[in-house]
Amino acid sequence: MGIEWLKPDVIFGSLLYAVIGLAVFWLAFLLIDKLTPYDLWQEIVEKQNMALGLVVAAMSLGICIIVAAAIH
């Protein structure tokens, strides 16, 4: 076992997958925001809807786990 993870192509591949994962997460979150019948930001931040915040957090974690599994 050497320093294989320090090669430039491995580092570039990891960075590329990280950027792709963030892009997929961002697009999925925008899709969820558009599919809901109300403005998520206004409901969570301005109206302090804690239940909706927890649901959005759970969906975000689920999307992140799916993206991470797909990349792995």
Side-chain angles (χ1 to χ4, degrees):
M1 179 155 350
I3 316 176
E4 296 176 8
W5 57 271
L6 198 55
K7 294 180 181 177
D9 57 338
V10 175
I11 293 173
F12 177 71
S14 296
L15 290 174
L16 181 65
Y17 280 126
V19 169
I20 291 171
L22 286 172
V24 169
F25 171 75
W26 182 68
L27 289 173
F29 188 78
L30 285 178
L31 180 68
I32 289 170
D33 189 25
K34 295 296 180 191
L35 290 177
T36 55
Y38 39 80
D39 186 22
L40 287 179
W41 184 257
Q42 181 183 11
E43 284 288 325
I44 294 172
V45 176
E46 294 176 7
K47 295 183 180 178
Q48 299 291 318
N49 191 342
M50 185 68 76
L52 181 62
L54 288 173
V55 169
V56 170
M59 287 189 319
S60 297
L61 285 173
I63 293 167
C64 287
I65 290 171
I66 291 169
V67 169
I71 290 174
H72 192 296

